[in-house]
Amino acid sequence: NITDNKDPNLEDTTEYGPFGKLSYWYNKRNGLELDYEFLRYDYGSKGTALERRPDLDRHDIEGRYIHRFGAPTSALIQYGLFIRDFPDVSVTYQIHSFWTGFEHAFSPRTKMALGGGYYRATGDTTIKPGYNFLARLTRNFKRGIISVGATHSFDQGYNEVVPRGFTRFTEANADGNYNLSRDLNVYGRISYRYNDYSEDELDIFAGEKVPDDHFYRGRCGIRWQFYRWFSLDLTYQYEKR
């Protein structure tokens, strides 16, 4: 991924690296999953108005154990280790994230997922501990599906016009799909997200502290599957920040 800012006072970013996922079920009820992603961020600036951000090596490691109690219910325990290494300034920190949750199908058409957890940071950072939460309800109909959910957690953005770094967020969203016919499908999504940006000095290095914001998104579209391997999709998306 490449961000090329035309404004000489804003940094350019190049993001690259490999990722992989391993999923292994050693019987019908018990499974393990392991995710790993490495990303390198190289920063550069066309101007001299600001000092360049330090380059970053990012390691995301997640492992989870999944247990199926039966056809309608499953549960998981997850641990994530997120390592941020800034070699230019000899700074490294880690975020440890713990999740547990379950999914239950009340009927063949209705299922619910609930989860919660905790995260904390160690190393060269001032990021404060916080909590994770997820809730989602999904309902299938004869010709479609609708899903509503809410999440409170954290993420990190390093390849944006103004890199925001560590971000606590709360998001609510709703999705819908409906089949007008066998080959014609309409869909939509609405969401609201509140971003609480980090006060960590490294995440606002050589730049301004990004103010907290509210992000509204709306998306709708229609898809025509006119052949087994081909489809035509028309989408409209609206965003307000």
Side-chain angles (χ1 to χ4, degrees):
N1 292 311
I2 298 172
T3 300
D4 182 11
N5 285 307
K6 301 306 180 185
D7 186 338
N9 297 320
L10 295 175
E11 295 157 309
D12 300 330
T13 311
T14 302
E15 171 195 77
Y16 56 93
F19 64 91
K21 179 174 182 175
L22 174 67
S23 179
Y24 175 66
W25 287 83
Y26 50 92
N27 57 41
K28 291 182 178 181
R29 290 183 178 268
N30 299 281
L32 298 172
E33 292 182 348
L34 179 64
D35 303 341
Y36 174 72
E37 182 175 34
F38 169 79
L39 288 171
R40 162 63 64 87
Y41 293 86
D42 293 332
Y43 293 97
S45 178
K46 300 181 182 70
T48 58
L50 54 78
E51 183 181 358
R52 183 179 66 85
R53 286 176 61 92
D55 294 337
L56 166 65
D57 290 337
R58 170 179 176 174
H59 302 265
D60 290 358
I61 307 165
E62 291 182 290
R64 65 191 62 86
Y65 163 70
I66 305 169
H67 178 75
R68 293 173 177 161
F69 293 96
T73 307
S74 63
L76 66 83
I77 299 173
Q78 176 176 297
Y79 168 70
L81 174 62
F82 308 97
I83 302 171
R84 305 294 180 255
D85 181 17
F86 298 83
D88 293 347
V89 292
S90 300
V91 169
T92 301
Y93 70 85
Q94 307 82 33
I95 300 175
H96 307 265
S97 178
F98 306 88
W99 275 91
T100 185
F102 75 95
E103 185 177 277
H104 177 73
F106 297 99
S107 71
R109 291 191 172 186
T110 306
K111 65 179 180 180
M112 178 184 66
L114 282 176
Y118 176 79
Y119 65 84
R120 65 182 181 88
T122 58
D124 305 315
T125 184
T126 58
I127 295 173
K128 298 178 182 179
Y131 69 93
N132 302 313
F133 172 77
L134 178 145
R136 177 157 294 277
L137 181 65
T138 304
R139 171 75 174 175
N140 290 299
F141 300 94
K142 184 177 181 180
R143 287 193 168 191
I145 184 173
I146 188 169
S147 178
V148 295
T151 306
H152 178 85
S153 190
F154 71 90
D155 64 6
Q156 295 179 286
Y158 295 107
N159 187 29
E160 299 173 343
V161 174
V162 178
R164 57 184 169 83
F166 182 87
T167 306
R168 298 179 181 88
F169 72 90
T170 302
E171 181 175 352
N173 54 65
D175 296 89
N177 258 283
Y178 185 76
N179 296 315
L180 297 172
S181 66
R182 187 182 67 175
D183 303 323
L184 199 60
N185 171 264
V186 292
Y187 56 87
R189 176 183 175 89
I190 56 172
S191 67
Y192 161 76
R193 171 168 163 147
Y194 172 71
N195 291 315
D196 179 8
Y197 296 115
S198 176
E199 295 286 353
D200 188 71
E201 292 181 1
L202 199 60
D203 277 339
I204 58 174
F205 185 91
E208 296 182 1
K209 166 69 169 68
V210 180
D212 299 342
D213 58 37
H214 304 267
F215 210 151
Y216 304 87
R217 285 189 178 101
R219 184 171 183 262
C220 62
I222 185 168
R223 182 182 299 110
W224 176 36
Q225 191 81 30
F226 62 89
Y227 189 65
R228 182 179 179 183
W229 304 109
F230 297 93
S231 64
L232 183 65
D233 199 321
L234 179 64
T235 303
Y236 172 76
Q237 181 164 308
Y238 173 81
E239 296 183 354
K240 180 179 179 180
R241 179 177 174 183

